Amino acid sequence: MIASGRLYILLTLGVVLFFLMYINPMFQQVGFVYDAVLLLALALDFATTQSAKQLGATRAVADRLSIGRQNEVLIEVFNQGAAELEMRVRDDHPEEFESEVKEFDFKLKGNSRASLNYNLLPRNRGAYHFADINLRYQSRLGLFWRELKVKAGRDVKVYSDLVALKELSVKLSKSSELGDLRMRRRGHGTDFASLREYVSGDDVRNVDWKATARRDRPVVRVYEVEQEQCLMV
């Protein structure tokens, strides 16, 4: 348990009452009665506050994160009790990651769940570890906070910008659908392309004599011209 600001104020008031007994001894009795009432309130608050066993949480994050890009993390908090709780949630993400949110502060109704989203920005490649999910909720009378650590350890790896690589792959796949990437040019080469009838000016060395004999007219071979190809990796 962690004392709340309200409890610190009430304890300070009790200390003031004992200081006042040096002015008037009557305040000593008032102080004892005040402390007894405060202890009773603490006991009642502890007894009526919902058990931590009725709370739970999960984390959803990709196994592979991208450098220099906002990577989304989803935290889900479950409340199986009937009471509405004042919640504070903090995720133990790797310290090397930049986060836009340090802690969530919200109210969670009974028999419900809350979805919490935040982003992490990695700067370097490597393997990293997520630790526990820390839940904290206020007691019924607001005199203290109860804590719960949900075991959610998980290892992730950080690579180059995978999202940008995927977007590039999509662009390349779409562009390749526009036509054949191989460019055919007639001329001297080594890759056979097709046969066609002989016309004046063709090199006689390209005459296909077998095809000429079958068709009973001159036929020449057409070759593809070798050329460099642009390769994107």
Side-chain angles (χ1 to χ4, degrees):
M1 295 190 304
I2 299 176
S4 65
R6 183 178 303 176
L7 180 59
Y8 280 118
I9 294 175
L10 294 175
L11 291 174
T12 302
L13 181 58
V15 173
V16 172
L17 290 175
F18 277 101
F19 274 113
L20 291 177
M21 73 179 185
Y22 293 102
I23 301 175
N24 189 337
M26 180 188 66
F27 282 103
Q28 184 176 9
Q29 298 299 325
V30 175
F32 284 133
V33 174
Y34 178 85
D35 286 347
V37 172
L38 184 57
L39 287 175
L40 182 61
L42 277 171
L44 180 63
D45 197 15
F46 181 80
T48 58
T49 297
Q50 178 175 308
S51 172
K53 296 180 179 180
Q54 295 178 304
L55 291 176
T58 60
R59 179 199 302 114
V61 60
D63 293 327
R64 298 179 178 182
L65 306 182
S66 299
I67 294 177
R69 183 178 289 269
Q70 297 291 346
N71 298 267
E72 184 179 17
V73 181
L74 172 63
I75 301 291
E76 286 197 330
V77 184
F78 309 89
N79 179 14
Q80 298 177 340
E84 183 180 59
L85 302 177
E86 182 74 26
M87 298 288 304
R88 291 179 180 175
V89 177
R90 180 173 55 83
D91 189 18
D92 284 341
H93 59 76
E95 297 181 355
E96 296 85 354
F97 295 173
E98 298 179 14
S99 175
E100 58 183 8
V101 177
K102 292 184 178 180
E103 187 177 77
F104 293 95
D105 192 348
F106 61 98
K107 290 185 178 180
L108 182 59
K109 295 182 179 180
N111 298 311
S112 64
R113 69 174 63 187
S115 297
L116 313 173
N117 298 79
Y118 72 98
N119 293 319
L120 292 175
L121 182 65
R123 294 296 186 184
N124 298 295
R125 295 188 183 90
Y128 298 90
H129 181 73
F130 281 83
D132 301 332
I133 302 174
N134 301 280
L135 307 181
R136 182 180 294 181
Y137 63 100
Q138 199 170 42
S139 63
R140 173 164 292 190
L141 299 180
L143 298 181
F144 61 89
W145 293 84
R146 298 193 72 167
E147 281 193 326
L148 173 65
K149 284 185 176 292
V150 179
K151 300 298 182 181
R154 182 174 181 179
D155 294 324
V156 297
K157 293 184 178 181
V158 177
Y159 294 90
S160 298
D161 193 348
L162 302 177
V163 178
L165 181 60
K166 182 179 180 181
E167 293 174 352
L168 176 60
S169 300
V170 172
K171 289 182 179 179
L172 292 177
S173 64
K174 289 183 177 179
S175 64
S176 64
E177 294 173 358
L178 298 179
D180 193 346
L181 293 181
R182 297 181 62 191
M183 298 179 63
R184 296 183 176 180
R185 296 181 180 178
R186 293 182 176 179
H188 294 286
T190 59
D191 294 333
F192 173 75
S194 63
L195 294 173
R196 65 169 174 81
E197 292 187 6
Y198 176 87
V199 296
S200 179
D202 286 340
D203 191 343
V204 294
R205 291 176 298 178
N206 295 332
V207 173
D208 189 315
W209 299 106
K210 291 183 180 180
T212 298
R214 289 196 302 268
R215 299 186 184 184
D216 199 22
R217 58 182 179 272
V219 176
V220 295
R221 290 175 175 265
V222 179
Y223 296 91
E224 291 182 0
V225 179
E226 295 85 355
Q227 64 178 6
E228 295 181 351
Q229 298 288 342
C230 180
L231 178 64
M232 300 187 70
V233 179

